Amino acid sequence: MAFTYSDIAKMIDHSLLNPTLSAADLEAGCRLAVVYDVASVCIMPYALKRCAEMLRGTAVKASTTIGFPHGGHTTAIKRAEAERAIAEGGEELDMVVNISQVLSGNWDYVRSDIKAVVDVAHAAGQKVKVIFENCYLKDEHKIQLCRICSELNADWVKTSTGYGSGGATHDDLKLMRQHAARHVQVKAAGGVRDLDALLAVRDLGVTRCGSTRTREMLDEVNRRLNRPAIAASAVASPAGY
């Protein structure tokens, strides 16, 4: 195999953003993320503090969303969200651009909006993924966003929230990898639902992927690598945190 378990697990941001998830679901998701040792948990903002507590002492980072899911919050609110998230243990922030302002070509506004969140995160030593929501954009918009994110040293450019009319496509991932600076990583979200799909986007240069199917993907990794399966009881147990 051309990958290790860690190679794949550390690509996954375990997504806990569905609004119908209960508090118990969110805590179970955090336990699963620790047992499977993924890159991060991306959780609804209200639950971030508890998530960070549960992940403390592990190699799994706590992350949350800014301006989710439509990006239409004012810049001041996005900045305040970022400050609060950092204070509550957030290590990575997934922010949505102002889609309306992108479509209007108001690039000064878009740049300032992204910069506000990047500045807050970087001042605290944390990272930002900038969500384009590509399903609503033309290629010229995506290319300009890649340029802006490169200038601002955003840490990732990300295809989608997972709640728009479309998710990550290979054409978009190739475009984003081509037009983002090399120091800016690319994250796929929406539509990557099994290991083969994850390996395919990895081949395009993707380093992170948002997923709700973490267990299925990583169980398949263990099967292909002839590693022991992770027991369901390990996920259910609250021991250790």
Side-chain angles (χ1 to χ4, degrees), residues 45-56:
Y46 92 88
L48 176 63
K49 185 175 182 180
R50 173 60 179 152
C51 171
E53 290 173 354
M54 295 181 70
L55 300 181
R56 188 172 299 140

mmCIF file with all atom_site columns, all heavy atoms in Angstrom, residues 45-56:
data_model
loop_
_atom_site.group_PDB
_atom_site.id
_atom_site.type_symbol
_atom_site.label_atom_id
_atom_site.label_alt_id
_atom_site.label_comp_id
_atom_site.label_asym_id
_atom_site.label_entity_id
_atom_site.label_seq_id
_atom_site.pdbx_PDB_ins_code
_atom_site.Cartn_x
_atom_site.Cartn_y
_atom_site.Cartn_z
_atom_site.occupancy
_atom_site.B_iso_or_equiv
_atom_site.pdbx_formal_charge
_atom_site.auth_seq_id
_atom_site.auth_comp_id
_atom_site.auth_asym_id
_atom_site.auth_atom_id
_atom_site.pdbx_PDB_model_num
ATOM 1  N N   . PRO A 1 45 ? -20.213 25.642 16.918 1.00 0.00 ? 45 PRO A N   1
ATOM 2  C CA  . PRO A 1 45 ? -19.536 26.556 17.853 1.00 0.00 ? 45 PRO A CA  1
ATOM 3  C C   . PRO A 1 45 ? -19.956 26.403 19.310 1.00 0.00 ? 45 PRO A C   1
ATOM 4  O O   . PRO A 1 45 ? -19.115 26.492 20.205 1.00 0.00 ? 45 PRO A O   1
ATOM 5  C CB  . PRO A 1 45 ? -19.889 27.934 17.306 1.00 0.00 ? 45 PRO A CB  1
ATOM 6  C CG  . PRO A 1 45 ? -20.081 27.718 15.837 1.00 0.00 ? 45 PRO A CG  1
ATOM 7  C CD  . PRO A 1 45 ? -20.717 26.364 15.722 1.00 0.00 ? 45 PRO A CD  1
ATOM 8  N N   . TYR A 1 46 ? -21.228 26.176 19.558 1.00 0.00 ? 46 TYR A N   1
ATOM 9  C CA  . TYR A 1 46 ? -21.664 26.124 20.958 1.00 0.00 ? 46 TYR A CA  1
ATOM 10 C C   . TYR A 1 46 ? -21.017 24.979 21.722 1.00 0.00 ? 46 TYR A C   1
ATOM 11 O O   . TYR A 1 46 ? -20.870 25.027 22.947 1.00 0.00 ? 46 TYR A O   1
ATOM 12 C CB  . TYR A 1 46 ? -23.196 26.017 21.037 1.00 0.00 ? 46 TYR A CB  1
ATOM 13 C CG  . TYR A 1 46 ? -23.717 24.609 21.086 1.00 0.00 ? 46 TYR A CG  1
ATOM 14 C CD1 . TYR A 1 46 ? -23.867 23.942 22.298 1.00 0.00 ? 46 TYR A CD1 1
ATOM 15 C CD2 . TYR A 1 46 ? -24.024 23.919 19.913 1.00 0.00 ? 46 TYR A CD2 1
ATOM 16 C CE1 . TYR A 1 46 ? -24.334 22.639 22.350 1.00 0.00 ? 46 TYR A CE1 1
ATOM 17 C CE2 . TYR A 1 46 ? -24.485 22.622 19.948 1.00 0.00 ? 46 TYR A CE2 1
ATOM 18 C CZ  . TYR A 1 46 ? -24.640 21.978 21.175 1.00 0.00 ? 46 TYR A CZ  1
ATOM 19 O OH  . TYR A 1 46 ? -25.073 20.690 21.228 1.00 0.00 ? 46 TYR A OH  1
ATOM 20 N N   . ALA A 1 47 ? -20.620 23.921 20.992 1.00 0.00 ? 47 ALA A N   1
ATOM 21 C CA  . ALA A 1 47 ? -20.063 22.733 21.627 1.00 0.00 ? 47 ALA A CA  1
ATOM 22 C C   . ALA A 1 47 ? -18.532 22.716 21.629 1.00 0.00 ? 47 ALA A C   1
ATOM 23 O O   . ALA A 1 47 ? -17.929 21.755 22.103 1.00 0.00 ? 47 ALA A O   1
ATOM 24 C CB  . ALA A 1 47 ? -20.579 21.477 20.925 1.00 0.00 ? 47 ALA A CB  1
ATOM 25 N N   . LEU A 1 48 ? -17.922 23.772 21.113 1.00 0.00 ? 48 LEU A N   1
ATOM 26 C CA  . LEU A 1 48 ? -16.461 23.758 20.968 1.00 0.00 ? 48 LEU A CA  1
ATOM 27 C C   . LEU A 1 48 ? -15.743 23.627 22.310 1.00 0.00 ? 48 LEU A C   1
ATOM 28 O O   . LEU A 1 48 ? -14.762 22.879 22.431 1.00 0.00 ? 48 LEU A O   1
ATOM 29 C CB  . LEU A 1 48 ? -16.000 25.023 20.250 1.00 0.00 ? 48 LEU A CB  1
ATOM 30 C CG  . LEU A 1 48 ? -14.481 25.185 20.121 1.00 0.00 ? 48 LEU A CG  1
ATOM 31 C CD1 . LEU A 1 48 ? -13.874 24.054 19.284 1.00 0.00 ? 48 LEU A CD1 1
ATOM 32 C CD2 . LEU A 1 48 ? -14.140 26.539 19.507 1.00 0.00 ? 48 LEU A CD2 1
ATOM 33 N N   . LYS A 1 49 ? -16.196 24.356 23.301 1.00 0.00 ? 49 LYS A N   1
ATOM 34 C CA  . LYS A 1 49 ? -15.494 24.333 24.589 1.00 0.00 ? 49 LYS A CA  1
ATOM 35 C C   . LYS A 1 49 ? -15.456 22.916 25.159 1.00 0.00 ? 49 LYS A C   1
ATOM 36 O O   . LYS A 1 49 ? -14.406 22.438 25.613 1.00 0.00 ? 49 LYS A O   1
ATOM 37 C CB  . LYS A 1 49 ? -16.175 25.290 25.575 1.00 0.00 ? 49 LYS A CB  1
ATOM 38 C CG  . LYS A 1 49 ? -15.436 25.425 26.893 1.00 0.00 ? 49 LYS A CG  1
ATOM 39 C CD  . LYS A 1 49 ? -16.105 26.482 27.765 1.00 0.00 ? 49 LYS A CD  1
ATOM 40 C CE  . LYS A 1 49 ? -15.338 26.664 29.080 1.00 0.00 ? 49 LYS A CE  1
ATOM 41 N NZ  . LYS A 1 49 ? -15.985 27.694 29.919 1.00 0.00 ? 49 LYS A NZ  1
ATOM 42 N N   . ARG A 1 50 ? -16.596 22.229 25.139 1.00 0.00 ? 50 ARG A N   1
ATOM 43 C CA  . ARG A 1 50 ? -16.648 20.854 25.635 1.00 0.00 ? 50 ARG A CA  1
ATOM 44 C C   . ARG A 1 50 ? -15.789 19.925 24.768 1.00 0.00 ? 50 ARG A C   1
ATOM 45 O O   . ARG A 1 50 ? -15.077 19.061 25.279 1.00 0.00 ? 50 ARG A O   1
ATOM 46 C CB  . ARG A 1 50 ? -18.099 20.366 25.651 1.00 0.00 ? 50 ARG A CB  1
ATOM 47 C CG  . ARG A 1 50 ? -18.266 18.889 25.993 1.00 0.00 ? 50 ARG A CG  1
ATOM 48 C CD  . ARG A 1 50 ? -17.715 18.552 27.358 1.00 0.00 ? 50 ARG A CD  1
ATOM 49 N NE  . ARG A 1 50 ? -17.898 17.137 27.676 1.00 0.00 ? 50 ARG A NE  1
ATOM 50 C CZ  . ARG A 1 50 ? -17.108 16.442 28.487 1.00 0.00 ? 50 ARG A CZ  1
ATOM 51 N NH1 . ARG A 1 50 ? -16.073 17.032 29.081 1.00 0.00 ? 50 ARG A NH1 1
ATOM 52 N NH2 . ARG A 1 50 ? -17.341 15.179 28.720 1.00 0.00 ? 50 ARG A NH2 1
ATOM 53 N N   . CYS A 1 51 ? -15.832 20.149 23.455 1.00 0.00 ? 51 CYS A N   1
ATOM 54 C CA  . CYS A 1 51 ? -15.006 19.356 22.539 1.00 0.00 ? 51 CYS A CA  1
ATOM 55 C C   . CYS A 1 51 ? -13.526 19.514 22.884 1.00 0.00 ? 51 CYS A C   1
ATOM 56 O O   . CYS A 1 51 ? -12.786 18.522 22.975 1.00 0.00 ? 51 CYS A O   1
ATOM 57 C CB  . CYS A 1 51 ? -15.280 19.804 21.103 1.00 0.00 ? 51 CYS A CB  1
ATOM 58 S SG  . CYS A 1 51 ? -14.171 19.113 19.857 1.00 0.00 ? 51 CYS A SG  1
ATOM 59 N N   . ALA A 1 52 ? -13.093 20.752 23.078 1.00 0.00 ? 52 ALA A N   1
ATOM 60 C CA  . ALA A 1 52 ? -11.682 20.996 23.402 1.00 0.00 ? 52 ALA A CA  1
ATOM 61 C C   . ALA A 1 52 ? -11.294 20.316 24.707 1.00 0.00 ? 52 ALA A C   1
ATOM 62 O O   . ALA A 1 52 ? -10.180 19.793 24.847 1.00 0.00 ? 52 ALA A O   1
ATOM 63 C CB  . ALA A 1 52 ? -11.417 22.497 23.467 1.00 0.00 ? 52 ALA A CB  1
ATOM 64 N N   . GLU A 1 53 ? -12.214 20.328 25.674 1.00 0.00 ? 53 GLU A N   1
ATOM 65 C CA  . GLU A 1 53 ? -11.947 19.633 26.944 1.00 0.00 ? 53 GLU A CA  1
ATOM 66 C C   . GLU A 1 53 ? -11.757 18.137 26.700 1.00 0.00 ? 53 GLU A C   1
ATOM 67 O O   . GLU A 1 53 ? -10.851 17.506 27.262 1.00 0.00 ? 53 GLU A O   1
ATOM 68 C CB  . GLU A 1 53 ? -13.105 19.849 27.913 1.00 0.00 ? 53 GLU A CB  1
ATOM 69 C CG  . GLU A 1 53 ? -13.226 21.263 28.439 1.00 0.00 ? 53 GLU A CG  1
ATOM 70 C CD  . GLU A 1 53 ? -14.498 21.469 29.254 1.00 0.00 ? 53 GLU A CD  1
ATOM 71 O OE1 . GLU A 1 53 ? -15.336 20.534 29.304 1.00 0.00 ? 53 GLU A OE1 1
ATOM 72 O OE2 . GLU A 1 53 ? -14.654 22.564 29.813 1.00 0.00 ? 53 GLU A OE2 1
ATOM 73 N N   . MET A 1 54 ? -12.601 17.558 25.871 1.00 0.00 ? 54 MET A N   1
ATOM 74 C CA  . MET A 1 54 ? -12.534 16.125 25.610 1.00 0.00 ? 54 MET A CA  1
ATOM 75 C C   . MET A 1 54 ? -11.288 15.731 24.816 1.00 0.00 ? 54 MET A C   1
ATOM 76 O O   . MET A 1 54 ? -10.787 14.615 24.944 1.00 0.00 ? 54 MET A O   1
ATOM 77 C CB  . MET A 1 54 ? -13.794 15.660 24.862 1.00 0.00 ? 54 MET A CB  1
ATOM 78 C CG  . MET A 1 54 ? -15.064 15.797 25.671 1.00 0.00 ? 54 MET A CG  1
ATOM 79 S SD  . MET A 1 54 ? -16.528 15.218 24.770 1.00 0.00 ? 54 MET A SD  1
ATOM 80 C CE  . MET A 1 54 ? -16.220 13.439 24.728 1.00 0.00 ? 54 MET A CE  1
ATOM 81 N N   . LEU A 1 55 ? -10.802 16.645 23.987 1.00 0.00 ? 55 LEU A N   1
ATOM 82 C CA  . LEU A 1 55 ? -9.639  16.336 23.153 1.00 0.00 ? 55 LEU A CA  1
ATOM 83 C C   . LEU A 1 55 ? -8.312  16.687 23.826 1.00 0.00 ? 55 LEU A C   1
ATOM 84 O O   . LEU A 1 55 ? -7.245  16.339 23.312 1.00 0.00 ? 55 LEU A O   1
ATOM 85 C CB  . LEU A 1 55 ? -9.739  17.091 21.820 1.00 0.00 ? 55 LEU A CB  1
ATOM 86 C CG  . LEU A 1 55 ? -10.962 16.794 20.954 1.00 0.00 ? 55 LEU A CG  1
ATOM 87 C CD1 . LEU A 1 55 ? -10.896 17.591 19.662 1.00 0.00 ? 55 LEU A CD1 1
ATOM 88 C CD2 . LEU A 1 55 ? -11.075 15.301 20.652 1.00 0.00 ? 55 LEU A CD2 1
ATOM 89 N N   . ARG A 1 56 ? -8.378  17.354 24.971 1.00 0.00 ? 56 ARG A N   1
ATOM 90 C CA  . ARG A 1 56 ? -7.147  17.788 25.642 1.00 0.00 ? 56 ARG A CA  1
ATOM 91 C C   . ARG A 1 56 ? -6.254  16.574 25.945 1.00 0.00 ? 56 ARG A C   1
ATOM 92 O O   . ARG A 1 56 ? -6.714  15.542 26.428 1.00 0.00 ? 56 ARG A O   1
ATOM 93 C CB  . ARG A 1 56 ? -7.497  18.515 26.933 1.00 0.00 ? 56 ARG A CB  1
ATOM 94 C CG  . ARG A 1 56 ? -6.286  19.181 27.610 1.00 0.00 ? 56 ARG A CG  1
ATOM 95 C CD  . ARG A 1 56 ? -6.749  20.037 28.774 1.00 0.00 ? 56 ARG A CD  1
ATOM 96 N NE  . ARG A 1 56 ? -7.641  21.099 28.310 1.00 0.00 ? 56 ARG A NE  1
ATOM 97 C CZ  . ARG A 1 56 ? -8.735  21.486 28.952 1.00 0.00 ? 56 ARG A CZ  1
ATOM 98 N NH1 . ARG A 1 56 ? -9.085  20.902 30.073 1.00 0.00 ? 56 ARG A NH1 1
ATOM 99 N NH2 . ARG A 1 56 ? -9.493  22.454 28.467 1.00 0.00 ? 56 ARG A NH2 1
#
